[in-house]
Amino acid sequence: MRILSLLLLTIFIGVSCSSQKKTDMKSTQIEYSAVSRGLYKKIVVQNQMVSVTNGRNNEAVESKINDAKWKQIVAEFSKVNLETYSTLKGPTEKRFYDGAAIANLKIIQNQKIYETQGFDNGYPPKEIEKLVNLLLDFTKE
């Protein structure tokens, strides 16, 4: 009887934890921005929806993210360590001499904001490169 109780408790905890992770992703907002004198780009992803703004005076265009793309975003997001997130450094420094726009990736989760240091648009830190490229794909469509 104890074994059965322990087994049921383990299954219940496992299901509870996995459903909480999905809930966390639904309440998580990922925001990529790139800004320079001649460029303004903002991509906001939340709850399988994306909002893309190309240009300072342009309206945001919203659309639904297909299931395959959403799974990729969730998989790459799960690899991000939010505790060391603010210390990530980009591989280049072109933004210091107007060689690239200043980019930033912000994550809002459970009412807490995690933000990278500025990095060059198109040259994200290696740890978030795949996630950033998935987000930038929305501006190409």
Side-chain angles (χ1 to χ4, degrees):
M1 189 66 172
R2 283 184 178 173
I3 294 173
L4 181 60
S5 297
L6 185 59
L7 182 61
L8 288 174
L9 182 62
T10 304
I11 291 171
F12 176 74
I13 290 172
V15 169
S16 173
C17 289
S18 66
S19 66
Q20 185 175 357
K21 181 133 180 124
K22 289 178 185 173
T23 304
D24 284 345
M25 195 59 201
K26 284 186 177 182
S27 65
T28 298
Q29 179 176 314
I30 304 171
E31 181 180 306
Y32 177 86
S33 61
V35 179
S36 71
R37 284 184 273 186
L39 174 79
Y40 179 85
K41 183 183 308 188
K42 184 174 180 180
I43 305 163
V44 179
V45 171
Q46 183 173 16
N47 199 17
Q48 210 163 346
M49 293 294 292
V50 62
S51 169
V52 179
T53 307
N54 280 316
R56 284 180 176 80
N57 299 322
N58 295 348
E59 298 259 338
V61 177
E62 291 188 12
S63 59
K64 186 173 182 350
I65 303 171
N66 67 45
D67 290 338
K69 182 87 163 190
W70 180 248
K71 286 179 183 177
Q72 289 178 313
I73 291 171
V74 171
E76 289 305 319
F77 176 76
S78 68
K79 297 175 186 176
V80 174
N81 181 355
L82 294 176
E83 300 307 317
T84 61
Y85 193 69
S86 64
T87 62
L88 299 177
K89 291 188 71 126
T92 60
E93 295 182 340
K94 295 179 180 184
R95 65 195 176 281
F96 293 144
Y97 58 86
D98 287 342
I102 299 171
N104 188 304
L105 190 66
K106 183 190 317 184
I107 296 173
I108 303 169
Q109 186 176 53
N110 299 327
Q111 299 177 349
K112 189 168 182 185
I113 298 173
Y114 302 91
E115 199 164 1
T116 61
Q117 298 176 16
F119 57 87
D120 293 346
N121 182 38
Y123 303 94
K126 190 183 313 179
E127 297 86 352
I128 59 172
E129 182 176 17
K130 289 181 181 177
L131 178 60
V132 169
N133 288 337
L134 285 169
L135 298 178
L136 288 174
D137 283 348
F138 291 115
T139 61
K140 297 173 186 172
E141 295 175 354

